[in-house]
Structures are given as C-alpha cells and as structure tokens.
Amino acid sequence: MDPAHWLTAHRERDVYDLHDNDPHDPGYRRFLSKLTTPLLERLEVGAQGLDFGCGPGPALALMLEQAGMKISLYDPFFHADPSALNHTYDFVTCTEVVEHLHQPAKVFRQLDSLVRPGGWLAVMTCFQTDDRQFANWHYRRDPTHVVFYREATLAWLARVHGWQLEVPAKDVALFRKA
C-alpha cells in the first residue's frame, strides 16, 4: 500500500482494539491450529519461542504453552517490551502479522536474527493468489493490511535468508533457519 494511505499508529491501534481474539474461543483456536499443529510436530517439548505480534489476547502463546513450550511475547501495541527482542529462540511465530509491516524487509531481517540456527519462523497470513480477484478480496480491505504475500514471495524470502520453506497448510509458511 502506498504509505500515504497508511493509518496513524493511534488509528491502527483503534482498529486492533476492535478484534476479539479470545484465547479460549474454540473457533479462534481452531483457526490458529493451522499453524500450531504443523509447528508443534517440528518442536521438542520445552522449546523456547517468541510470539511476535501477539496482540492483546495472546491465544497462540497460550496454546503453545499448553503444549509444553516456553513463550515470550512481543507486540508493538500490546506487549511493547523490547527486552523480548534481545534474545534468540527455537521458534518465532507471526500469525496475522506480516501483512501489517510497514518495513517488511527490515522486520524479516530482525525475525531472522531472533531465530537460532536450526530453529523455525512460523508465519500465517492470507496468501494473495488471484490478481483478477484482488479488487474484491476481503483481506485487502482491512486498512491495517499494507503488504501482501504470495507463496512465491515467501519462497523468495526463504532464498534470500537461506531458510528452508515448507507450506504445510493454506496460508501457513514454516521457515527453517540453516
């Protein structure tokens, strides 16, 4: 999106405050399981992770903790503790986050620095798949969504960062750091 159309940080926060991400909502947990199920298959119990962009109700973190993982939180609006960004992790999750990035290249470099060698970066975002439908695509109508990804874009990111890419489910990318 042209930066001239980006929301101010205050207005962006107002939109996020409208989301109902109840960590105990079975439907929301089912939605997040698209990412947690394949990620947990690749992790050992006790792995340390960061939920990057966790939002106000960190449902994903709760699900991962319940599976035996140790989770730190970071979100620029709701958990703005920069000390979480001073560590490395066995895995970093970004669910419904990367479409909000004003500086995606910079943030993906930061995410790479947070993942230990052999670790995982787990991303969930609605993949853009059909240019003919873009104008009517519900996902692009969210005013906080400023960048969109195709599977090919994620494969390019993997090559640039030396990651191995797996797409285990629709709209889920798992990157393994070498």
Side-chain angles (χ1 to χ4, degrees), residues 66-83:
Q66 290 170 340
M69 305 301 145
K70 297 174 185 160
I71 306 297
S72 297
L73 303 175
Y74 178 76
D75 187 288
F77 293 102
F78 301 101
H79 293 275
D81 177 5
S83 70

Side-chain angles (χ1 to χ4, degrees), residues 42-43 89-91 115-121 175-178:
R42 291 157 176 81
L43 299 174
Y89 300 91
D90 299 313
F91 66 95
V115 178
R116 294 178 184 138
W120 294 91
L121 170 61
F175 299 99
R176 180 103 191 244
K177 184 171 179 172

Side-chain angles (χ1 to χ4, degrees), residues 20-176:
D20 182 19
N21 298 339
D22 179 356
H24 303 289
D25 175 0
Y28 189 50
R29 290 173 71 96
R30 236 182 344 272
F31 171 72
L32 293 174
S33 71
K34 286 176 31 176
L35 181 131
T36 59
T37 298
L39 178 61
L40 288 170
E41 292 171 354
R42 291 157 176 81
L43 299 174
E44 292 185 26
V45 172
Q48 296 179 330
L50 173 67
D51 187 357
F52 185 92
C54 62
L60 184 77
L62 178 62
M63 292 170 67
L64 292 167
E65 285 174 346
Q66 290 170 340
M69 305 301 145
K70 297 174 185 160
I71 306 297
S72 297
L73 303 175
Y74 178 76
D75 187 288
F77 293 102
F78 301 101
H79 293 275
D81 177 5
S83 70
L85 305 176
N86 295 331
H87 305 283
T88 58
Y89 300 91
D90 299 313
F91 66 95
V92 173
T93 59
C94 297
T95 54
E96 299 297 311
V97 171
V98 297
E99 63 277 6
H100 302 273
L101 302 178
H102 291 178
Q103 298 179 341
K106 178 181 176 183
V107 175
F108 274 102
R109 282 191 302 274
Q110 179 184 32
L111 293 169
D112 180 56
S113 74
L114 294 169
V115 178
R116 294 178 184 138
W120 294 91
L121 170 61
V123 172
M124 186 164 72
T125 186
C126 194
F127 295 178
Q128 198 274 327
T129 59
D130 187 346
D131 289 343
R132 294 169 298 173
Q133 299 298 321
F134 187 78
N136 296 315
W137 189 32
H138 78 283
Y139 210 63
R140 77 147 192 100
R141 295 186 183 279
D142 182 323
T144 66
H145 292 180
V146 298
V147 61
F148 306 100
Y149 303 84
R150 296 176 182 271
E151 192 172 324
T153 310
L154 299 171
W156 178 86
L157 280 168
R159 283 191 304 278
V160 166
H161 292 282
W163 302 329
Q164 203 174 25
L165 172 64
E166 296 179 37
V167 179
K170 181 183 180 308
D171 303 330
V172 174
L174 299 179
F175 299 99
R176 180 103 191 244

